[in-house]
Amino acid sequence: MQLLRQLYAIHSPTGYEWSMIQFVREYISKHIPEATVRFDKLGNLYISKGEAGVGYPTLACHLDQVQKIHSEDFEVKEEDGTLYGWSEQNQLREGLGADDKNGIWVCLRCLEECPRLKVFMAVGEEKGCIGSNRADMSFFKDSLYVLEPDFKGGEEIHTNLRGIPCASPEFEKTLQVEQHGYVITEGKGSDILALTLNNIGVSCANIPAGYYQPHKDDEYTVIAELEKCLSFVNSTINTLDKRFPHIYKSQTQLMAEKELFK
């Protein structure tokens, strides 16, 4: 958990993600030198490792957090299989930013272990998916699918967000969620919804990353559920080696296209 604790120690509220961006770049340079990293003018990170082959399994996460309080004596405590933030001076719990530092951790671990992978790390997710709404979509042209470890708990996988399908039925069936102790339910907004609406063209799913009480000072991580997330993502990357196309079109868009081409 050393890497995770290092991520928790970095305070990266929306608009102030640069320290996290620098950490990720330096970590990859030192531990995953075969990966290439670039960033755009917003600060979004685009990471690639290995040759494309039939295409890249792709992960996504976000670099910002909500919590404003992060004392100088902030430390990570472990108790009964959970991690939480603590200030001894203030005798108060402080938020880890596990939403979505847990996702960053999963992405970096997978980059270390997988020979072929792409990762998109977005800025400003907590303020309306700023980074993913303005992402360089050409990065995803050879993606097979996208998994985003960015949801509380350890049970629900989301392939439908705010009533908008982000994945094909074939992709949902192929994920083998029950085998890993998950169920597919509908969720709220995240980067994969923004990417879907930006016509990414492939199926996307939001994976629970083992954190609870997101955005609050009493946020905590259940270690076993975070490790379960890593295991599921790794398993998916290593077994699903085909493209799962998916394009979302609203009923209004379909009707408009029909009228235009009469």
Side-chain angles (χ1 to χ4, degrees):
M1 295 283 108
Q2 181 182 356
L3 171 59
L4 187 62
R5 289 172 179 270
Q6 289 177 296
L7 294 170
Y8 288 158
I10 300 169
H11 192 216
S12 56
T14 308
Y16 297 88
E17 298 99 334
W18 189 249
S19 56
M20 182 63 77
I21 291 168
Q22 287 290 79
F23 176 85
V24 170
R25 292 173 66 199
E26 291 170 7
Y27 186 88
I28 291 174
S29 176
K30 181 177 180 180
H31 299 281
I32 321 168
E34 64 272 32
T36 61
V37 184
R38 67 176 177 88
F39 61 93
D40 60 23
K41 62 182 180 181
L42 292 176
N44 293 321
L45 289 173
Y46 304 85
I47 306 162
S48 301
K49 179 184 176 184
E51 298 297 327
V54 297
Y56 290 96
T58 302
L59 304 182
C61 61
H62 64 86
L63 295 156
D64 60 327
Q65 68 181 96
V66 169
Q67 293 93 343
K68 302 298 183 185
I69 299 174
H70 193 89
S71 300
E72 289 186 4
D73 68 337
F74 174 90
E75 61 178 318
V76 179
K77 295 274 193 177
E78 182 174 346
E79 183 177 332
D80 297 328
T82 68
L83 300 172
Y84 61 92
W86 178 258
S87 167
E88 185 67 25
Q89 178 179 343
N90 298 320
Q91 289 291 294
L92 291 173
R93 287 180 60 163
E94 296 183 356
L96 295 164
D99 174 10
D100 190 29
K101 294 173 186 175
N102 287 9
I104 298 172
W105 180 80
V106 170
C107 290
L108 291 175
R109 289 289 308 276
C110 288
L111 274 168
E112 289 178 314
E113 298 172 15
C114 300
R116 188 176 91 256
L117 189 65
K118 276 191 168 184
V119 175
F120 171 66
M121 296 188 177
V123 298
E125 190 269 354
E126 301 291 4
K127 295 292 186 181
C129 298
I130 295 168
S132 49
N133 274 315
R134 296 171 61 186
D136 176 6
M137 298 306 291
S138 67
F139 176 73
F140 304 98
K141 65 183 180 181
D142 49 9
S143 292
L144 302 176
Y145 49 83
V146 179
L147 303 178
E148 181 175 19
D150 180 23
F151 184 65
K152 65 182 181 180
E155 295 181 356
E156 300 179 21
I157 287 178
H158 298 154
T159 56
N160 187 302
L161 298 176
R162 300 193 186 278
I164 294 174
C166 298
S168 67
E170 181 191 6
F171 184 65
E172 290 181 348
K173 292 177 183 177
T174 310
L175 278 178
Q176 300 179 333
V177 294
E178 293 181 1
Q179 177 181 326
H180 291 87
Y182 291 117
V183 294
I184 292 179
T185 64
E186 183 172 337
K188 298 180 180 179
S190 81
D191 289 308
I192 64 166
L193 175 57
L195 295 174
T196 296
L197 294 176
N198 275 340
N199 298 314
I200 190 172
V202 293
S203 295
C204 303
N206 205 355
I207 315 300
Y211 57 77
Y212 290 81
Q213 298 293 92
H215 305 174
K216 300 179 181 179
D217 289 331
D218 58 350
E219 179 185 47
Y220 63 95
T221 290
V222 176
I223 297 172
E225 292 184 357
L226 176 56
E227 291 176 337
K228 173 184 172 182
C229 172
L230 175 62
S231 175
F232 174 77
V233 171
N234 253 330
S235 174
T236 303
I237 290 170
N238 290 321
T239 56
L240 295 192
D241 205 25
K242 59 174 283 190
R243 182 177 171 87
F244 290 87
H246 175 70
I247 297 175
Y248 168 74
K249 291 187 179 182
S250 69
Q251 189 62 33
T252 302
Q253 183 179 355
L254 292 171
M255 293 300 295
E257 291 178 354
K258 183 179 179 180
E259 288 295 310
L260 284 172
F261 291 102
K262 272 186 175 179

